[in-house]
Amino acid sequence: MLALRLSRAARPSVQLRRLLVAAASAGTGLLLLSSLGRALAHPEAADAAALRLAWCVAPLAATVYLALAVARTDPGTRPRPGLSAVGLGPARLMAVSALTTALSCSLGSLLALLFFLHLRGDLTGLPFDGAAAGLLAAGRPLPVPAAVTLLTVLPVTATAAVAVALRPRDPRPPARAARRFGRFGALGGPAGRETFGAYGRFGTRLPSAPGDARGAAAGDGRTATAALLETDGDRPAGDDAPEPPEPPVPDAEAGSPAGLPWGIALVTAGLAAQAYAGRSAPAPALAVLLGWLLTGTGLVLAGPGLTHLCGRLLQAGRPGALRLLAGRGLMAEASRIGRPLGVVCAVASAGCALTALSSGPAPAFGPLSALGALVVGGCTLATLLTAAVEARQYRAGTTAALLRLGARPALLRGAAALRAAALPALFGPLVLVIAGLSALPLSR
């Protein structure tokens, strides 16, 4: 009930993003049901039916990725001060986000089922009733358990992904112990700090009874004299104060993503696999698929690093305020928008390669292939825009601080426009080069 109330009270932009999730879920559900209908119409081609069902994994993954991005940017389920007092802690808000995602995906699956039944001719009342009766096995009864299983795969997967991604975490960073070096020949550092000559002081390393002060001193690394002073009560009052903690060691590489070398290596391996597959006249489908998977995974991993590099290039030389703001903004948002941008590049390069390979007299694209491409492309673009909205929400405090300091709004808009223009200028040629290299071995 709380999820329904939050869904009704959301802003129009939030409702639009949820409708996009429902539309993507409807398209994916229709693809799954269409593969079931084709399998019913051609029961002798089991291998083709299994391959058609396997190709539905890409729209399914894209839809789950979009649902996860929409759940992250939902302002109604964001933790706020005081909500825990009324029973809306992080775990409850995570459950509300998961239920909202389940509602959106279930609505899309229901729409997909209704559209599928209209295409088969089982339901009437629309102009396209029975338009695909021959392809979807209209003369055969529809197996209800199989249809329900296929339609519940997407809501269950998206809900589980949102629950895992938005699970409550400890906001405190893990304690990072500073590395200490012990004496020459010692195994590890000492338990406490020792003054000069403490190792050879009389009574420090002597074995003693469990209740003896010297044994306690040897156990915790203190000298025997200090332990006896504590026992006798003669220790000065100024020594009772605890030692101040050591300052944390600054990490110079904390802000730069570390996936760029791995991404370059995977892209290189994927292109090499596709070049090896193109040596034989009938290119093996497994090698081609493996090459595309490696290339796409490499682009996804290299996306944050390339975005960070783009920010560094923007502020190279002697930058002014505009280039400095744009470059620093890209470097700060590299981990947030770089991954969706890498996914968009992977999908765009695969689409360009497929378009170059299917430019023959008889292209192999049908209505279901066009629907799958539309779902994957639309979900990746919507995820990128949603990540941009999330980055804008996290940047709201910095923008307000700059405005209070006297920055002009035109300067901030110019920095945003420069960021939006710099990313396509870097990623566009990269997509074209990788698409050309992917299609070159297979087009010979």
Side-chain angles (χ1 to χ4, degrees):
M1 186 61 68
L2 180 61
L4 287 175
R5 290 181 178 179
L6 289 176
S7 300
R8 289 176 52 192
R11 293 178 296 182
S13 59
V14 180
Q15 299 286 10
L16 178 61
R17 292 196 289 268
R18 291 172 181 168
L19 287 178
L20 287 177
V21 173
S25 178
T28 305
L30 185 59
L31 288 173
L32 292 171
L33 292 176
S34 299
S35 63
L36 176 62
R38 294 291 295 270
L40 290 175
H42 304 280
E44 71 280 355
D47 296 338
L51 182 61
R52 191 175 294 109
L53 185 62
W55 277 110
C56 295
V57 174
L60 179 66
T63 306
V64 171
Y65 195 43
L66 174 62
L68 181 58
V70 170
R72 282 177 175 171
T73 57
D74 194 350
T77 57
R78 187 173 301 165
R80 298 184 186 90
L83 287 181
S84 298
V86 295
L88 291 177
R92 185 74 179 275
L93 291 177
M94 179 270 295
V96 170
S97 298
L99 287 177
T100 305
T101 304
L103 287 175
S104 301
C105 295
S106 300
L107 176 61
S109 298
L110 182 60
L111 291 177
L113 178 61
L114 293 177
F115 195 77
F116 177 74
L117 293 178
H118 276 289
L119 289 178
R120 275 172 54 96
D122 297 336
L123 297 179
T124 58
L126 291 178
F128 51 83
D129 294 334
L135 295 176
L136 302 180
R140 297 176 180 269
L142 182 67
V144 178
V148 172
T149 302
L150 291 176
L151 289 178
T152 54
V153 167
L154 179 59
V156 170
T157 307
T159 304
V162 170
V164 170
L166 301 183
R167 66 187 183 276
R169 296 183 179 88
D170 190 1
R172 297 172 299 179
R176 184 176 180 181
R179 186 176 180 182
R180 296 178 179 177
F181 297 91
R183 298 175 306 278
F184 177 76
L187 296 178
R193 290 185 176 181
E194 294 183 353
T195 58
F196 178 76
Y199 183 80
R201 192 167 298 164
F202 176 74
T204 303
R205 298 295 186 267
L206 291 179
S208 58
D212 197 355
R214 290 177 302 176
D220 59 359
R222 297 173 296 165
T223 62
T225 307
L228 290 175
L229 284 176
E230 282 190 7
T231 307
D232 296 337
D234 296 335
R235 188 174 182 178
D239 293 343
D240 293 335
E243 295 182 357
E246 295 184 359
V249 180
D251 192 359
E253 300 295 332
S256 58
L260 184 58
W262 292 102
I264 295 175
L266 286 179
V267 168
T268 306
L271 294 177
Q274 293 176 16
Y276 179 77
R279 294 174 61 182
S280 57
L286 183 60
V288 174
L289 182 60
L290 178 62
W292 280 352
L293 285 178
L294 289 176
T295 305
T297 307
L299 285 174
V300 173
L301 288 179
L306 290 175
T307 306
H308 193 272
L309 177 62
C310 184
R312 284 189 176 275
L313 292 177
L314 272 180
Q315 46 186 336
R318 301 181 63 182
L322 181 64
R323 286 200 296 137
L324 188 62
L325 278 177
R328 288 292 180 178
L330 279 181
M331 291 173 63
E333 298 165 3
S335 59
R336 188 167 290 116
I337 67 174
R339 196 64 57 84
L341 194 56
V343 174
V344 170
C345 291
V347 172
S349 61
C352 293
L354 287 176
T355 304
L357 291 175
S358 62
S359 58
F365 285 100
L368 295 180
S369 302
L371 178 61
L374 179 63
V375 169
V376 173
C379 285
T380 51
L381 287 177
T383 304
L384 179 59
L385 295 178
T386 306
V389 171
E390 182 184 7
R392 183 181 179 184
Q393 291 175 358
Y394 278 92
R395 203 174 56 242
T398 306
T399 304
L402 289 174
L403 290 176
R404 286 195 303 268
L405 290 175
R408 295 175 299 171
L411 178 64
L412 300 180
R413 289 194 295 267
L418 184 58
R419 286 194 300 268
L423 290 176
L426 176 65
F427 283 91
L430 178 65
V431 168
L432 295 178
V433 168
I434 291 179
L437 291 177
S438 300
L440 182 62
L442 302 178
S443 60
R444 291 182 299 181

